Amino acid sequence: MHQYISTEDNTLTIESCNAVSLVKEYGSPLYVLSESTIRDKFREIQSEFLDKHPDTIAAYASKAFLTTAFAKLVNQEGFYMDVVSGGELYTALNADFPSEKIIFHGNNKSHAELEMAVKNKVGRIVVDNLYELSVLADLAKTFDTPMNVLFRITPGVNSSTHDYISTGKKDSKFGISLDDFVIFPAVEQAIAASHLNFLGFHFHVGSQIFDNTSHILATKVALDLIYEVKHRYDYVIDELNTGGGFGIKYTDSCTPQSIGYFTDAIVETIQSYCLKHNLKRPRICIEPGRFIIGEAGTTLYTVGAVKEIKDIRTYVAVDGGMTDNIRPALYQAKYNALLANRPGDPVDSEVTLCGKCCETGDILVEHLPLPSAKPGDIVAVFSTGAYNYSMASHYNKHLIPAVVLVNGSESNVIVRRETYEDLVRQDVVPKHLG
Ligand SMILES: Cc1ncc(COP(=O)(O)O)c(C=O)c1O
């Protein structure tokens, strides 16, 4: 499947760690992350984008996966970080991530979250609406802290991905509309605000995209806006953030591209437009999340019940499900999987891999070719690094699995397995029920 996955003595190996031994040591289900794969992705972006093109920034989109250890790894690699909530911001700051390298997104940041960002001198705020703009302008003034600001715009571009992860179209909860009567008063307000430094624009067209067309179309829309701002206000836009969304390999039907396929085209579009229109070429920022962490993750589960419904299908149930991977239920995401304890056994069945949650839709993989599975087998589901742990829930009071980072033959827990005590830690019993 991926380069860091292999088999040895008919057992799956993740980097140089035996998958069955990982489950024995750390329990099941288990999220496993390959550190070398993650670092390779950072380095691909470094060489294909940052080193190749001057005045560029790459921020890791932490919504894909964030823990304290991971924030430290992102910082070690020298990347910026995109956060989208007070919780992500707290996690980054608590891991000593430099606040000036944080980009704060979100379509409904609260007053408290914005105050936290101002007090911590976060490097950039991506303002999503006019209400936020006025709250932020007031806070920056109150705390006498100049803040760098970009506007998230909705470029009106449809991307070829699932509707729920297509975010650049006009009818979206995200971003400021490009109608003249909305965007230009907002730009005027940002330029005029005493404690705001208006840097430029941001868009994010969607996720799991294999074709650069929507990024390029949105870039052109943003460039027209930059041109218009220059001519209306004699104001030079410094920065254009073209978001993330670069697709990865979940199954053989995915055709991922190198990061350079996207970024070369984006940079070229910006450079030639600026040359033609005599504009200063803005700093260019990208925000990949899934691209960095997605393929590095494998989830290991243990098989329990196997239910064969004659002439219909066979359900193979594992000890996790939609609580650790909501993506198949949320947007019909497809995954690949195999039996980690005997990957070389002949495939003689096609099964539905399901979880243990009380939902019929709790399906992880449909039409999965497997050797006949039996209780105790270990199933490995691939490419689960992004939007799995970060979207995990406690539905049915299931415990969120531990996360282990493997590097060669070394493995380290970066998120401890929860306990039942953790599940009731926040519960409060009022006196009359006590
Ligand atoms: C503003 C923004 N930037 C970056 C990303 C990262 O997207 P991906 O993980 O697909 O690269 C997202 C994802 O939702 C986003 O909303």
Side-chain angles (χ1 to χ4, degrees):
M1 175 78 205
H2 299 307
Q3 255 181 357
Y4 69 93
I5 305 270
S6 56
T7 56
E8 223 178 285
D9 299 332
N10 202 18
T11 308
L12 196 80
T13 307
I14 302 176
E15 296 217 9
S16 306
C17 295
N18 177 303
V20 176
S21 308
L22 286 173
V23 167
K24 274 197 188 121
E25 187 170 354
Y26 300 108
S28 173
L30 184 67
Y31 293 117
V32 184
L33 290 174
S34 155
E35 185 171 341
S36 65
T37 306
I38 296 162
R39 292 202 189 265
D40 284 350
K41 292 289 181 185
F42 278 115
R43 284 157 200 182
E44 180 184 338
I45 296 168
Q46 183 72 42
S47 63
E48 284 203 37
F49 176 58
L50 297 171
D51 294 346
K52 197 165 165 190
H53 306 289
D55 207 16
T56 44
I57 287 177
Y60 167 67
S62 69
K63 71 207 74 178
F65 177 87
L66 182 63
T67 70
T68 305
F70 200 74
K72 287 184 181 287
L73 194 157
V74 177
N75 194 28
Q76 265 186 6
E77 291 293 330
F79 274 52
Y80 282 57
M81 194 184 309
D82 139 8
V83 301
V84 78
S85 69
E88 287 181 358
L89 177 56
Y90 176 85
T91 306
L93 293 172
N94 192 50
D96 298 322
F97 197 88
S99 66
E100 70 276 10
K101 289 172 87 173
I102 294 178
I103 305 175
F104 193 9
H105 289 271
N107 73 306
N108 188 24
K109 303 177 192 77
S110 69
H111 190 283
E113 286 173 322
L114 288 168
E115 185 171 324
M116 181 177 172
V118 171
K119 283 182 171 165
N120 285 287
K121 299 188 167 61
V122 162
R124 287 163 176 76
I125 311 281
V126 180
V127 167
D128 207 273
N129 54 70
L130 302 192
Y131 163 68
E132 180 187 339
L133 181 63
S134 54
V135 173
L136 182 64
D138 285 350
L139 280 166
K141 203 166 170 184
T142 306
F143 291 99
D144 194 18
T145 303
M147 297 297 291
N148 292 321
V149 160
L150 290 100
F151 281 173
R152 175 163 184 169
I153 55 167
T154 39
V157 166
N158 287 326
S159 49
S160 49
T161 189
H162 191 283
D163 226 26
Y164 287 6
I165 46 176
S166 173
T167 51
K169 54 196 175 165
K170 186 163 183 185
D171 181 4
S172 166
K173 74 168 185 167
F174 298 106
I176 301 175
S177 143
L178 291 187
D179 289 328
D180 284 9
F181 60 92
V182 179
I183 190 70
F184 292 117
V187 167
E188 281 173 37
Q189 207 178 318
I191 292 173
S194 64
H195 285 68
L196 299 186
N197 176 27
F198 181 53
L199 284 184
F201 299 104
H202 162 273
F203 61 78
H204 175 73
V205 285
S207 283
Q208 186 59 356
I209 293 170
F210 299 121
D211 178 327
N212 62 21
T213 314
S214 49
H215 283 87
I216 298 308
L217 286 174
T219 299
K220 287 180 178 161
V221 170
L223 287 165
D224 285 343
L225 182 59
I226 290 172
Y227 178 86
E228 192 62 24
V229 169
K230 169 84 174 70
H231 286 85
R232 279 193 190 214
Y233 309 111
D234 193 24
Y235 192 87
V236 177
I237 292 297
D238 266 339
E239 194 162 304
L240 177 59
N241 182 329
T242 60
F246 316 115
I248 65 163
K249 195 171 189 70
Y250 286 101
T251 67
D252 286 342
S253 69
C254 302
T255 49
Q257 306 282 354
S258 72
I259 199 77
Y261 161 77
F262 290 95
T263 50
D264 285 352
I266 291 169
V267 173
E268 164 56 25
T269 304
I270 296 173
Q271 273 172 189
S272 54
Y273 186 102
C274 291
L275 202 63
K276 185 168 167 205
H277 293 87
N278 196 24
L279 283 176
K280 174 177 173 269
R281 191 276 235 172
R283 185 176 314 109
I284 304 167
C285 179
I286 58 166
E287 291 173 341
R290 178 191 323 261
F291 185 84
I292 291 169
I293 185 82
E295 291 181 2
T298 306
T299 309
L300 301 174
Y301 300 96
T302 304
V303 173
V306 177
K307 175 181 178 179
E308 190 181 339
I309 309 173
K310 199 170 175 344
D311 299 332
I312 298 185
R313 73 171 81 218
T314 299
Y315 286 98
V316 173
V318 293
D319 53 354
M322 65 193 293
T323 42
D324 56 76
N325 184 359
I326 188 72
R327 295 187 68 257
L330 193 60
Y331 25 67
Q332 299 82 51
K334 304 281 181 275
Y335 285 88
N336 192 9
L338 50 70
L339 289 187
N341 54 321
R342 43 193 183 94
D345 279 15
V347 170
D348 56 8
S349 58
E350 187 184 274
V351 306
T352 297
L353 190 72
C354 66
K356 59 181 289 174
C357 300
C358 291
E359 291 288 325
T360 305
D362 177 26
I363 303 293
L364 289 169
V365 188
E366 281 185 293
H367 307 296
L368 176 67
L370 272 192
S372 298
K374 52 183 189 327
D377 277 333
I378 307 293
V379 174
V381 179
F382 301 110
S383 299
T384 57
Y387 306 104
N388 273 228
Y389 171 73
S390 64
M391 285 184 161
S393 80
H394 285 126
Y395 178 52
N396 290 162
K397 290 269 190 236
H398 289 315
L399 301 176
I400 293 177
V403 185
V404 169
L405 187 66
V406 300
N407 191 352
S409 56
E410 206 183 292
S411 59
N412 288 290
V413 172
I414 60 167
V415 179
R416 268 195 293 271
R417 183 171 299 283
E418 284 185 321
T419 63
Y420 289 136
E421 289 75 36
D422 290 328
L423 290 179
V424 293
R425 201 176 299 286
Q426 299 301 104
D427 288 6
V428 177
V429 181
K431 247 196 186 126
H432 71 284
L433 295 175

